[in-house]
């Protein structure tokens, strides 16, 4: 076994997207020596790909907006399954996090009177997304990276070394978390390898912040890029933490469907937010046929009213194209299934007939470029073909809302890898604000945890380190075994077909059996070649994570016998108020995924009062409803 590089830090943040960078900045600002580790190049996280914007109730475009309305929209979007404390903190703190970004140099698009402009998005009652054209994530990451450099420059001036207190380890993959040998099982380090050289590396640290993003690569059709293999979810499980509600996967309604090489790439919701409409092969705006009862009073019933909303939202209701994503994705799925799809198995998204070309170019430059380059379609002149794509995971590490702490001492999580905030369905734009709010809180939480340790720092268990090293290089040392690419393809196809957008009990049960059969194949994958930049080896290591995360998804999807948000059971088509009170927690017990039902915290009376009783009655059980006269039951 080759030598293991060793580094020592107060806080190790795994992931350099918005959540990871914001957590690391906070930890460093609290005086903690912090490492940021990223599997991909620094700057190339999913956050950079975010297009539409960051949701924050600043009230710049409509003064009626405030945190309470944002909270209500978030809870409605999540179908009342959100962790209420997280949704409250998020709605309250998002504006401050956006203004803070401006202090650090971000430049958002402006309103006519010079304030930060805000755009419409599905499920948000008022224009709420702070944005930079359709490249908001790029500005967010650029600004956070700039802040990292600013802090490093301060350290260079004061300590003579820019990396003395905050250092980035790019292209470094963490494969295992290491605990101390004590009864409490505290975090003591993070183990991994350097992609460029294949060198093994141990970061000794009492506090790890997971900020590893999503799981999309377990599905064939996805907007996610190569590194989203659910590593953080799997690391948390193996360390002893719980995952909450892994059945909720967001299939974004609009991904590209053609050509095959780009299938799944995202078409931003801003197209619809800015006036784009969905049509089927008959040219019909079909979303009017798919407004569910729970949203009926909030959405327009005619095209005239829907179109009037863009100019006069006070006197018109919202277009049904702006229903929450789960509703739109299911509607597209139904149209295609019933033979009214586009030539390549999607539906049409039309912005060309809705505004002048010059305006489309101003508002959606990246979308124009994407379709021209990848599909030879000019979106200023013809409609796009779009269909659902696996986009986001609502489920994730179960954390304390205020600090981001998981059940494992020293392990924190923020951003897409954490769970609870978005309930059963995330509203667009709520992720970028989530990253900033809970990234910061995690940085503070980790710093406070370390302060509480005093001199009692955990020491990595040497046996665990040795085992992690052996496991990580095992695929390279096997003399026979299967290609990781073949196993990956089998896993993706199976998950897409059996645990995808529409689920049926027997098919999900079949998926669990298939995953059982895939396990020995994953354990025997063989990577050929050396250690330096060997993608076959990297995939072989990641497969272990995809397998366990897929099992968590499938087991939860089988257990939850209702349809809600990003979990649609054809055999249980309605929402069940009893299930609304229930979180599904997965943990690893004796190496296997075990499932437990756990009650969800109820909404505080003042938060419950933000909703009409008639609306609450659609979601809550009788005993949860406030009394008829408005007094609390
Ligand atoms: P990410 O930004 O995904 O970063 C994860 C980091 O973890 C990366 O640096 C990765 O390399 C690293 N990592 C992963 N595994 C390991 C490992 N084992 N070891 C070391 N490092 C690891 N949301 C919005 O709110 N508004 C939008 O407009 C929007 N548009 C989107 C457009 C696209 C195309 C996509 C894909 C997503 C979009 N989203 C949007 C969702 C949002 O971008 C993501 O949910 C969010 O950026 C996730 O941020 P994060 O910080 O949690 O993780």
């Amino acid at each position: 076994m080759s030598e293991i590089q060793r580094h020592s830090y107060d806080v190790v943040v795994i992931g350099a997207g918005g959540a990871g960078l914001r957590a690391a900045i906070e930890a460093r600002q609290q005086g903690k020596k912090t490492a940021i580790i990223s599997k991909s190049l620094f700057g190339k996280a999913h956050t950079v790909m975010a297009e539409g914007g960051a949701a924050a109730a600043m009230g710049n475009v409509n003064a009626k907006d405030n945190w309470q309305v944002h909270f209500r929209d978030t809870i409605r979007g999540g179908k009342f399954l959100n962790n209420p404390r997280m949704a409250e903190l998020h709605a309250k703190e998002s504006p401050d996090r956006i203004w803070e970004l401006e202090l650090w140099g971000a430049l958002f698009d402006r309103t006519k009177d010079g304030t930060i402009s805000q755009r419409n998005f599905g499920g948000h009652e008022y224009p709420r997304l702070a944005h930079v054209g359709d490249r908001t994530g790029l500005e967010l990451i650029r600004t956070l990276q700039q802040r990292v450099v600013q802090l490093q420059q301060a350290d260079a001036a004061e300590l003579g070394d820019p990396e003395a207190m905050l250092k980035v380890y790019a292209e470094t993959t963490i494969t295992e978390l290491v605990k101390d040998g004590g009864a409490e099982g505290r975090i003591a380090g993070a183990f991994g390898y350097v992609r460029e050289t294949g060198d093994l590396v141990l970061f000794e640290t009492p506090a790890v912040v997971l900020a590893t993003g999503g799981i999309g690569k377990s599905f064939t059709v996805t907007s996610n890029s190569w590194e989203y293999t659910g590593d953080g979810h799997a690391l948390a499980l193996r360390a002893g933490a719980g995952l909450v509600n892994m059945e909720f996967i967001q299939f974004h309604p609009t991904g590209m469907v053609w050509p095959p090489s780009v299938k799944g790439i995202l078409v931003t919701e801003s197209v619809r937010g800015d006036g784009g409409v969905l049509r089927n092969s008959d040219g019909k705006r079909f979303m009017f046929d798919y407004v569910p009862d729970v949203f009926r009073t909030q959405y327009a019933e005619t095209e005239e009213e829907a179109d009037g909303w863009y100019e006069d939202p006070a006197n018109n209701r919202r277009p049904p194209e702006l229903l929450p994503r789960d509703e739109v994705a299911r509607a597209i799925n139904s149209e295609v299934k019933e033979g009214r799809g586009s030539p390549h198995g999607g539906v049409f998204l039309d912005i060309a007939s809705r505004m002048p070309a010059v305006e489309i170019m101003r508002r959606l430059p990246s979308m124009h470029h994407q379709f021209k380059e990848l599909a030879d379609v000019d979106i200023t002149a013809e409609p796009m073909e779009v269909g659902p794509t696996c986009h986001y995971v609502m489920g994730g590490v179960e954390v304390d809302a205020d600090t981001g702490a998981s059940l494992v001492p020293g392990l924190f999580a923020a951003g897409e890898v954490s769970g609870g905030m978005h309930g059963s369905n995330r509203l667009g734009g709520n992720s970028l604000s989530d990253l900033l709010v809970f990234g910061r809180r995690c940085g503070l939480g980790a710093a406070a945890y370390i302060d509480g340790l005093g001199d009692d720092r955990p020491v990595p268990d040497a046996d665990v380190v040795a085992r992690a090293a052996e496991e990580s290089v095992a695929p390279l040392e096997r003399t026979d075994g299967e290609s990781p690419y073949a196993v990956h393809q089998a896993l993706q196809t199976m998950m897409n077909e059996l645990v995808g957008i529409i689920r049926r009990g027997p098919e999900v049960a079949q998926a669990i059996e298939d995953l059982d059969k895939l396990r020995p194949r994953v354990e025997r994958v063989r990577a050929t070649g050396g250690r330096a930049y060997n993608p076959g080896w990297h995939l072989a290591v990641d497969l272990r994570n995809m397998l366990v995360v897929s099992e968590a998804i499938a087991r939860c999807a089988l257990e939850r016998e209702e349809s809600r948000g990003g979990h649609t059971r054809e055999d249980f088509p309605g929402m069940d108020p009893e299930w609304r009170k229930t979180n599904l927690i997965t943990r690893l017990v004796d190496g296997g995924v075990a499932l437990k039902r756990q009650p969800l915290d109820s909404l505080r009376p003042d938060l419950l009062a933000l909703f009409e009783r008639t609306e609450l009655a659609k979601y809550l059980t009788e005993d949860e409803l406030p009394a008829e006269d408005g007094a609390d039951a």
Side-chain angles (χ1 to χ4, degrees):
M1 185 65 53
S2 54
E3 213 159 281
I4 298 171
Q5 294 176 19
R6 284 177 183 256
H7 306 281
S8 180
Y9 284 91
D10 293 325
V11 180
V12 166
V13 178
I14 309 176
L21 291 181
R22 190 60 192 82
I25 288 167
E26 199 59 41
R28 158 65 188 80
Q29 289 180 165
Q30 296 301 313
K32 304 302 172 214
K33 187 180 167 191
T34 303
I36 303 170
I37 303 173
S38 79
K39 193 168 168 176
S40 52
L41 288 168
F42 193 49
K44 201 224 115 335
H46 256 170
T47 303
V48 88
M49 295 159 76
E51 294 157 354
M58 295 184 282
N60 292 348
V61 174
N62 191 326
K64 286 197 222 154
D65 203 10
N66 55 41
W67 78 261
Q68 286 94 337
V69 186
H70 192 180
F71 173 85
R72 190 169 62 202
D73 289 345
T74 300
I75 297 283
R76 272 182 189 146
K79 305 257 166 51
F80 282 72
L81 204 80
N82 315 59
N83 175 317
R85 175 72 180 153
M86 287 176 103
E88 181 185 356
L89 290 171
H90 168 257
K92 281 182 172 163
E93 294 179 6
S94 293
D96 282 348
R97 299 285 72 76
I98 297 294
W99 286 315
E100 174 181 74
L101 279 188
E102 285 236 319
L103 283 180
W104 292 346
L107 262 184
F108 290 97
D109 290 352
R110 318 308 287 187
T111 60
K112 284 197 187 80
D113 50 7
T115 56
I116 294 175
S117 180
Q118 301 190 266
R119 69 161 39 120
N120 287 307
F121 239 53
H124 293 280
E125 186 164 343
Y126 299 118
R128 189 176 285 146
L129 269 67
H131 58 274
V132 184
D134 57 3
R135 295 174 182 145
T136 311
L138 178 63
E139 184 69 353
L140 197 142
I141 284 287
R142 186 194 67 73
T143 305
L144 293 174
Q145 288 190 342
Q146 185 173 302
R147 178 70 183 154
V148 166
V149 171
Q150 216 174 46
L151 292 167
Q152 288 179 323
Q153 283 171 343
D155 290 337
E158 198 182 323
L159 307 167
D161 175 4
E163 294 178 329
M165 292 296 288
L166 185 55
K167 181 164 175 169
V168 178
Y169 294 84
E171 298 216 284
T172 301
T173 302
I174 296 301
T175 59
E176 211 60 273
L177 298 176
V178 182
K179 298 203 277 189
D180 61 2
E184 243 193 302
R186 300 179 301 171
I187 288 293
F191 180 88
Y193 63 85
V194 181
R195 291 166 61 80
E196 188 179 356
T197 56
D199 290 346
L200 303 180
V201 56
L202 174 68
F203 294 88
E204 293 178 300
T205 177
V208 165
V209 175
L210 292 172
T212 49
I215 57 93
K217 277 294 165 192
S218 288
F219 293 81
T220 320
V221 181
T222 178
S223 64
N224 289 196
S225 63
W226 62 269
E227 68 262 47
Y228 295 96
T229 50
D231 296 3
H233 293 79
L235 290 170
L237 272 180
R238 289 201 292 271
L243 302 184
V244 56
N245 294 338
M246 286 302 288
E247 65 277 31
F248 296 115
I249 308 284
Q250 182 166 84
F251 291 85
H252 193 291
T254 60
M256 293 178 80
V257 294
W258 184 260
S261 57
V262 299
K263 193 166 178 169
I265 289 184
L266 195 74
V267 180
T268 175
E269 189 169 321
S270 316
V271 178
R272 283 172 288 132
D274 287 359
V277 295
L278 292 163
R279 297 186 199 280
N280 63 19
S281 56
D282 302 331
K284 182 177 177 194
R285 268 178 81 173
F286 57 84
M287 280 307 303
F288 289 96
D289 299 339
Y290 290 95
V291 181
D293 281 348
V294 285
F295 291 120
R296 183 84 58 204
T297 55
Q298 296 146 36
Y299 285 81
E301 282 167 48
T302 63
E303 291 196 26
E304 292 67 41
E305 186 184 5
D307 288 348
W309 177 83
Y310 289 99
E311 291 302 321
D312 182 9
N315 292 307
N316 294 288
R317 286 170 298 173
R318 308 164 60 75
E321 282 86 359
L322 291 181
L323 276 160
R325 289 175 174 174
D326 54 324
E327 309 290 354
V328 185
R330 273 193 297 271
I332 293 176
N333 196 65
S334 299
E335 287 295 306
V336 174
K337 215 165 130 189
E338 284 167 30
R340 296 187 292 272
S342 66
H344 299 105
V347 293
F348 297 106
L349 174 58
D350 169 28
I351 187 86
S353 74
R354 309 273 299 165
M355 62 179 64
V358 62
E359 189 61 12
I360 297 173
M361 294 298 291
R362 190 181 70 78
R363 294 188 193 212
L364 302 162
S366 303
M367 277 304 104
H368 181 265
H369 181 78
Q370 180 173 313
F371 271 89
K372 196 74 203 128
E373 290 297 310
L374 302 178
D376 198 24
V377 166
D378 177 0
I379 68 166
T380 65
E382 50 194 319
M384 299 157 248
E385 274 186 74
V386 295
T389 179
C390 175
H391 182 57
Y392 184 89
V393 59
M394 272 71 69
V397 182
E398 190 190 12
V399 290
D400 170 60
D402 289 71
T403 60
S406 74
L407 289 178
V408 178
L411 183 62
F412 298 78
E416 191 169 339
V417 69
S418 67
M421 159 66 210
H422 305 285
S424 67
N425 174 53
R426 173 179 70 90
L427 292 186
N430 267 1
S431 173
L432 291 191
S433 36
D434 161 0
L435 312 180
L436 298 170
V437 168
F438 294 105
R440 171 179 164 276
R441 282 186 165 272
C442 243
L444 287 170
Y449 171 77
I450 291 163
D451 290 342
L453 287 178
D455 294 332
D456 178 24
R457 288 221 169 192
V459 177
D461 184 321
D463 291 343
V464 178
V465 174
R467 210 163 42 243
E470 261 168 43
E471 277 172 1
S472 67
V473 296
L476 287 167
E477 291 178 350
R478 286 187 192 115
T479 48
D480 62 354
E482 232 183 313
S483 151
Y485 295 101
V487 180
H488 186 205
Q489 202 179 24
L491 177 96
Q492 285 182 312
T493 309
M494 188 277 292
M495 287 299 286
N496 226 78
E497 285 174 4
L498 303 181
V499 202
I501 181 164
I502 308 289
R503 298 163 176 172
R504 297 159 197 94
E507 289 184 2
V508 181
Q510 179 64 51
I512 293 169
E513 275 182 35
D514 290 357
L515 285 164
D516 258 351
K517 288 183 201 140
L518 277 169
R519 188 165 301 107
R521 289 175 66 186
V522 168
E523 282 164 7
R524 283 199 311 267
V525 283
R526 176 182 176 223
T528 53
R531 282 215 209 165
Y533 268 130
N534 182 341
W537 173 38
H538 303 159
L539 179 61
V541 175
D542 294 344
L543 267 174
R544 199 162 67 114
N545 299 333
M546 284 186 268
L547 185 77
V548 73
V549 168
S550 298
E551 187 178 344
I553 295 169
R555 287 201 182 277
C556 293
L558 187 61
E559 181 81 1
R560 186 176 289 275
E561 295 186 329
E562 64 156 356
S563 292
R564 184 183 298 271
H567 170 63
T568 304
R569 282 285 297 266
E570 202 176 63
D571 41 354
F572 295 95
M575 274 190 289
D576 177 344
E578 284 298 331
W579 269 111
R580 197 220 52 89
K581 296 194 281 190
T582 310
N583 283 328
L584 289 178
I585 308 292
T586 32
R587 298 185 73 175
L588 274 190
V589 176
D590 300 328
V593 174
L595 199 60
K596 155 181 116 174
R597 296 183 188 196
Q598 187 169 285
L600 170 73
D601 290 345
S602 343
L603 285 180
R604 271 199 329 257
D606 60 313
L607 298 176
L608 214 53
L610 297 172
F611 300 87
E612 298 283 336
R613 194 176 191 281
T614 45
E615 181 177 8
L616 292 175
K618 295 171 186 165
Y619 295 98
L620 309 188
T621 54
E622 199 54 43
D623 59 311
E624 291 175 295
L625 285 173
E628 293 278 3
D629 63 2
D632 300 323

